[in-house]
Amino acid sequence: MFREIKRALKMHRIFIVQELKRFMEYKGDFITGAIGLLLAQLCSIIFISVIFSQIPTLVGWSFNEVMFIYGFSLIPKAVDHLFFDNLWAVGHFIVRKGDFDKYLTRPINPLFHVMAEKFQVDAFGELVMGIVLLSCSLPSLDIEYSFMKILLTIVVVIFASFIYTGIKIGTSAIAFWTKRSGNIIFMFYMVNDFVKYPIDIYNNVVRSVLTYIIPFAFTAYFPALYFITGENPLFNIGMTIVVAIVVMTIGVLIWNRGIKAYESAGS
Amino acid sequence: MGKKLRIYLPFVNAGLQEVSTYRANWIFYILGDIMACFVSFFVWEAVFISTGGETFMGFARSDMVVYIFMSFLTGQIIGSGGTYNIGEEVKDGSIAMRMIKPISYNSTFLFQEIGNKIMEIGIIFVPLVAGVEIYRFAVTGSLKFDLLRFLLYLVCCVFAYAINFCFNICFGFTAFIFKNLWGSNMLKNTIVGFLSGSIIPIAFLPGVFKDILTFLPFSSLSYTPVMVYMGMYSGWEMLFFIGLQIFWTIVFWCLSKIIWKCVIKRLSIQGG
C-alpha cells in the first residue's frame, strides 16, 4: 500500500515536470488563460462591490464576509482545476476518438494516469484571486485564530477539492457509455456558481440540492462558515470530509463500471 | 443577390444539421450556462430583500429579472464562434480548403452560423421570452409586452450580431499570435461580457465609466437590445442608440475587411 502510494506520487511528479516543460514552451498562451480566469473573477467582484455600494449587508452578510466566502470557494476549485483538469478531455474527446486505449495498455491505474497527465497552469488565475480575496477580507473580519483552526481549514480545502474531482470523475465516466459527456460535466460543474455566495440567499429547493444532491455547498459555504464563526466544527468540517469521501467513492464506482463498458472507436 | 444567396443556402442547411445532430449535448450546455442567471436572480432577490425598497438604482425588482434573462438570451442570439473556428482552421491548415473555393471565406462562416442559430434560438427563445413575460405579469399584475418594442429588439439584435461577427473575425486572427485559443478566447469573452453590461447593467456603474461604456461598441452588443426590450429608452434615445449600433457595424465591417487583406498575405500553411 505504502509503496504504491510512493510510486504514484513519484509518477505524478514526473507528469508535472513534463507539463511544466510544455508550459515553458508556450508561456504566453498559459499566461493569457490565467489572466482570463483572474479577470472573470474580478468582474464578479466589481458586481458585488456595486451591490454593496447601495446596501450595508446582504441578508445579514457583510461585504467582507461575502468576499471571504467567494474567495474560499475559488481555492478548492483551483486545486482540482490545477491537478485534474484532464477529466474534461475524457468527456470531450478522449473516449470518442478511441484514445482511451493508451491508458488501458499502460502499467498504471488508468484513472490515475488520465488524471495526473495534465497540470493546468491556467488554474493559478483562480488560486491567486482566491488567496487575494481571503487576505483582503480577513483583517476586517473578527476571527479568532488558533493553530487547530488553520490546520483544519487546510485539511478541509483538500477534501473540498475532492468533491469537484469526484463529480468530474463520475460525470466524465458517462462518456464510456455515450461516447461524449463533456457537456454533462459542464452542466454539473457549473452548479458551483451557486456556492460563491452564502447559500442562505437561495430558496429551500436550491439549498437542498447544493447540500444533499450536488453537494458543492461543502466546498465553500460550510467550511468558510466554520472559519468565520468557529461554530459547529463537527458538521461544517466533519460533514465536508464525509461528503468528499462519499462523492469520490460514487465517482470511482461509476468510473469502474464505465471502463468495463468502454469500446474503442473502430479506426 | 438572389443567386448569391442560393450559393450560401447549403451552408445554412449544414449549420442546421450540425446542431440537430448534437442537440442533446447542446441542451446540457445551455442548462449549465443558464445556471449563472439563476445565481444572479437569487442575488438580486436578496438585494431587494435587504434594501426593503421597491427599486435599486432605478431598476424595479421585475426589471432586474427581465434584465438578467434577456441579457442571457441576447448573448445567445448575438454569440459568434468566428474566433474559435478561424483559429482552429489556421492552426490545422484547413483554412486552405476554404480559400481555394470561389466563395467568400467569411460568408460561409456567416451562413453556417445562421443555420446553427435558427436551431439553437428556436429551442430557447420561446421558453425564455414567455417565462420572462409570465413572471412580469405575475409580479406587476399587468401585461408589459409591447409588440413594437419587441420588433425593435429583434432589429437591435441583428445589428448586435453583425458587430459581434465582424469583431470576432478581427479577433480570430489573433490566433496568429496566441496559440492558446481557449485562453485568449476566454479573456476576450470576459472583457466583452463585462463591457457590454451583461454582468452589471451599465447604468449601475459610477459616472465616468458609465459614460465611456455607453459609447464604446460593447454596449451595442447586449445592453442596447435589452434596454430597448425593457422600454428603458424614450423614442429619441432609442433612435440614437440604434444609430450608434449602425455606426459600429460599419466600423467593424471595414476593420474586418482591412485585417483580412493584411493577414491573408502572410498566411502560410504547413502541410494540411
Side-chain angles (χ1 to χ4, degrees):
Chain A
M1 179 70 185
F2 184 69
R3 270 184 59 195
E4 269 171 38
I5 292 174
K6 211 172 144 193
R7 178 168 174 261
L9 285 176
K10 195 181 153 207
M11 304 273 316
H12 201 179
R13 214 172 48 238
I14 295 170
F15 281 126
I16 288 177
V17 168
Q18 283 306 324
E19 275 289 309
L20 284 178
K21 283 182 195 158
R22 220 167 63 93
F23 165 67
M24 292 312 281
E25 203 181 329
Y26 297 107
K27 232 180 299 181
D29 316 339
F30 284 110
I31 290 165
T32 330
I35 293 175
L37 281 172
L38 201 109
L39 274 183
Q41 305 307 333
L42 200 66
C43 289
S44 304
I45 286 148
I46 297 175
F47 171 66
I48 299 172
S49 310
V50 167
I51 290 174
F52 273 95
S53 70
Q54 303 293 314
I55 53 171
T57 61
L58 185 69
V59 286
W61 296 90
S62 72
F63 177 69
N64 282 307
E65 285 167 338
V66 172
M67 280 295 147
F68 184 86
I69 294 176
Y70 197 104
F72 196 101
S73 78
L74 294 178
I75 293 175
K77 187 181 175 183
V79 171
D80 164 73
H81 191 174
L82 191 62
F83 291 107
F84 306 127
D85 199 51
N86 211 25
L87 288 166
W88 287 97
V90 175
H92 278 305
F93 54 82
I94 290 181
V95 170
R96 186 160 50 91
K97 290 188 173 167
D99 291 343
F100 197 75
D101 298 3
K102 177 178 102 182
Y103 302 97
L104 292 173
T105 53
R106 302 265 167 95
I108 29 175
N109 180 301
L111 176 60
F112 172 74
H113 187 182
V114 87
M115 289 204 315
E117 199 178 41
K118 205 164 170 188
F119 183 70
Q120 186 53 276
V121 190
D122 293 354
F124 278 113
E126 287 164 329
L127 194 62
V128 167
M129 200 69 212
I131 292 168
V132 167
L133 283 181
L134 289 192
S135 10
C136 289
S137 58
L138 267 180
S140 3
L141 291 172
D142 194 19
I143 290 175
E144 278 177 43
Y145 297 96
S146 67
F147 176 71
M148 207 38 203
K149 200 168 175 179
I150 293 167
L151 189 76
L152 270 181
T153 311
I154 294 170
V155 170
V156 92
V157 164
I158 296 168
F159 278 96
S161 74
F162 286 160
I163 297 179
Y164 278 95
T165 314
I167 287 175
K168 269 160 65 183
I169 293 174
T171 47
S172 64
I174 295 172
F176 291 126
W177 289 281
T178 63
K179 300 292 173 229
R180 56 198 283 174
S181 68
N183 293 16
I184 298 175
I185 311 177
F186 180 74
M187 193 180 74
F188 277 88
Y189 190 80
M190 286 308 279
V191 174
N192 86 74
D193 254 4
F194 283 93
V195 300
K196 290 172 178 168
Y197 298 96
I199 65 165
D200 41 12
I201 68 168
Y202 303 114
N203 64 21
N204 282 332
V205 180
V206 177
R207 235 183 292 175
S208 312
V209 170
L210 294 176
T211 313
Y212 303 110
I213 300 176
I214 309 171
F216 277 124
F218 289 99
T219 66
Y221 178 73
F222 290 120
L225 195 65
Y226 166 72
F227 199 79
I228 295 174
T229 63
E231 285 165 12
N232 231 340
L234 206 61
F235 180 80
N236 289 335
I237 300 295
M239 269 312 271
T240 305
I241 295 172
V242 172
V243 165
I245 294 170
V246 170
V247 169
M248 202 64 171
T249 312
I250 295 173
V252 172
L253 283 177
I254 298 175
W255 177 275
N256 285 343
R257 298 204 79 181
I259 262 193
K260 290 195 187 108
Y262 173 70
E263 299 168 328
S264 186
S267 58
Chain B
M1 190 68 199
K3 195 183 157 218
K4 259 196 158 167
L5 263 180
R6 236 194 359 260
I7 299 173
Y8 293 110
L9 228 47
F11 287 96
V12 176
N13 200 15
L16 270 169
Q17 284 172 357
E18 198 175 20
V19 178
S20 48
T21 317
Y22 299 115
R23 200 167 28 198
N25 257 295
W26 187 79
I27 288 171
F28 283 124
Y29 172 74
I30 219 70
L31 283 175
D33 241 10
I34 210 164
M35 226 71 95
C37 289
F38 282 98
V39 176
S40 300
F41 169 77
F42 282 108
V43 171
W44 284 112
E45 288 284 295
V47 168
F48 280 102
I49 291 169
S50 303
T51 57
E54 277 306 301
T55 59
F56 183 90
M57 296 175 100
F59 276 61
R61 202 167 173 157
S62 61
D63 286 338
M64 221 49 244
V65 176
V66 178
Y67 189 86
I68 294 165
F69 287 93
M70 288 311 286
S71 286
F72 177 76
L73 178 64
T74 312
Q76 295 300 323
I77 293 174
I78 68 155
S80 179
T83 312
Y84 208 78
N85 294 336
I86 293 173
E88 280 292 322
E89 296 208 352
V90 168
K91 259 173 107 178
D92 67 16
S94 56
I95 193 171
M97 294 315 290
R98 278 195 198 246
M99 290 183 57
I100 55 171
K101 288 174 189 139
I103 43 177
S104 153
Y105 177 76
N106 292 334
S107 302
T108 57
F109 267 129
L110 177 67
F111 283 93
Q112 197 173 341
E113 201 160 66
I114 289 173
N116 289 341
K117 295 249 167 250
I118 294 171
M119 199 71 183
E120 293 174 357
I121 306 302
I123 299 171
I124 57 166
F125 193 84
V126 175
L128 268 172
V129 173
V132 160
E133 288 305 330
I134 290 168
Y135 176 88
R136 226 173 12 169
F137 181 71
V139 170
T140 61
S142 61
L143 195 64
K144 290 272 172 59
F145 185 76
D146 182 314
L147 189 66
L148 181 67
R149 278 211 310 263
F150 178 72
L151 292 175
L152 278 172
Y153 165 77
L154 293 182
V155 172
C156 286
C157 283
V158 171
F159 284 120
Y161 176 69
I163 297 171
N164 202 29
F165 184 81
C166 295
F167 176 75
N168 273 317
I169 286 176
C170 299
F171 192 84
F173 291 109
T174 58
F176 285 99
I177 310 161
F178 303 111
K179 277 142 212 145
N180 184 357
L181 291 166
W182 184 83
S184 62
N185 208 28
M186 209 199 79
L187 187 63
K188 185 211 73 184
N189 287 345
T190 309
I191 295 172
V192 172
F194 184 78
L195 297 180
S196 67
S198 65
I199 300 171
I200 320 168
I202 291 175
F204 289 4
L205 294 171
V208 196
F209 289 109
K210 187 167 81 184
D211 297 338
I212 297 172
L213 288 191
T214 310
F215 291 98
L216 284 184
F218 307 106
S219 66
S220 293
L221 294 178
S222 158
Y223 194 64
T224 303
V226 176
M227 292 306 256
V228 166
Y229 182 88
M230 288 167 68
M232 293 299 217
Y233 289 146
S234 65
W236 284 111
E237 278 178 315
M238 224 177 315
L239 268 181
F240 172 77
F241 282 110
I242 294 175
L244 196 65
Q245 278 195 313
I246 296 172
F247 169 74
W248 284 120
T249 310
I250 296 168
V251 169
F252 277 103
W253 187 77
C254 295
L255 206 62
S256 70
K257 288 276 173 211
I258 294 166
I259 291 182
W260 170 256
K261 284 234 161 67
C262 296
V263 145
I264 216 65
K265 286 185 197 137
R266 290 157 185 255
L267 182 69
S268 64
I269 289 157
Q270 291 90 19

